[in-house]
Structure formats: C-alpha cells, structure tokens
C-alpha cells in the first residue's frame, strides 16, 4: 500500500516563520504560485496549488484539481517521533497530506529544502526515514516514480 501522508521532522519544537516563507519560496521556484494559509488553533494549514485563471476559480472542482498539496504546520510538542537512523527524537513540523501521485513534486521540494535545512528528517509515516544524504542520492539517479515507496537504503 502506498503512503498518502508524510512528515518533515526537526529537533526544535517551535516553528520558525522564516522557514514558512522559505517553503513557499521553494514551491514558487517550482512554478506553484497560489498559496493560502489558514490558522487552526495549534496548526496552520498551507495549501499549495497550480496557477489557474479567474474564470476557472468559479468552478470549485477546478480549484480542488489545481491543489497540489496541503501542509499542516504543527506547533505542539505532542507529536514526537524516534528516528532509528539517527537515534534521536524529532518533532513533527510539517505534515504533508495527499501526496500520492505527487512523488516528483515531493522529491523536487525535498531536494531544495534539505539544501537549507540538512539536519531535518523526512518520514513516510510508516517505516522509511529520509535524510538529506538519501534525498541527494535519490535525486542524482534517474527519476523513479516509486522512490517514495522503496527503502532509502536501496539507493
């Protein structure tokens, strides 16, 4: 079964709002130009979408189809995860929803993100943890759309 949600983990608990701007800038560099942020108590929800025309906005189905990813920016200390690769505990910082069939977008994002934050960890919410080293290896190879569902050790 393919995972449909992922997490970015970091050692500090408090979100750095500069990171949020940098995350948006990464997606802008990839051609995504529509963003919205909703404040939900202990979570900010960032929606990233492909550009669409004003005429297409009239139809809510078009808006749903253009949405690429929802990211929850988590601000609580209850979501800690142990990474066996580093033998450390990490806080969940970003929760990516609905990533199935968006593997290339995730890889492109992670490649750029880890250039800025090499100590963070990407986790598939199941069994695989990806460090910057693994993402760099995967990124340097011929693109495989199943990269997210294969052990990073196999690269």
């Amino acid at each position: 079964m393919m995972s449909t949600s992922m997490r970015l983990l970091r050692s500090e608990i408090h979100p750095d709002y500069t990171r949020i701007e940098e995350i948006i800038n990464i997606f802008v560099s990839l051609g995504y130009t529509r963003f919205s942020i909703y404040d939900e108590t202990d979570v900010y929800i960032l929606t990233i979408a492909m550009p669409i025309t004003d005429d297409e906005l009239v139809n809510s189905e078009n808006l749903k189809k253009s949405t690429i990813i929802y990211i929850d920016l988590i601000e609580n200390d209850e979501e800690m995860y142990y990474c066996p690769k580093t033998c450390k505990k990490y806080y969940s910082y970003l929760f990516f929803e609905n990533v199935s069939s968006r593997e290339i977008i995730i890889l492109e994002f992670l490649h750029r993100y880890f250039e800025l934050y090499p100590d963070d960890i990407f986790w598939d919410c199941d069994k695989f943890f990806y460090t910057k080293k693994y993402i760099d290896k995967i990124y340097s190879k011929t693109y495989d759309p199943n990269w997210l569902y294969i052990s990073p050790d196999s690269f």
Side-chain angles (χ1 to χ4, degrees), residues 49-83:
M50 292 295 286
I52 58 176
T53 66
D54 289 343
D55 293 339
E56 292 173 311
L57 278 174
V58 174
N59 181 342
S60 64
E61 273 308 302
N62 284 336
L63 184 58
K64 285 181 193 170
K65 287 178 191 173
S66 74
T67 300
I68 299 303
I69 200 161
Y70 298 98
I71 302 174
D72 296 339
L73 304 158
I74 300 161
E75 290 189 309
N76 66 49
D77 62 354
E78 296 170 14
E79 297 194 36
M80 280 197 84
Y81 301 93
Y82 177 77
C83 175

Side-chain angles (χ1 to χ4, degrees), residues 3 18-19 26 34 37 42 54 57-58 69 73 75 77 83 87 90 92 99 107-108 112 118 133 135 154:
S3 183
T18 302
R19 279 196 191 204
I26 290 170
R34 290 194 327 98
I37 297 180
D42 64 345
D54 289 343
L57 278 174
V58 174
I69 200 161
L73 304 158
E75 290 189 309
D77 62 354
C83 175
C87 299
Y90 293 86
S92 181
V99 298
L107 182 59
E108 290 290 344
R112 289 161 176 80
K133 178 180 102 178
I135 293 299
S154 66

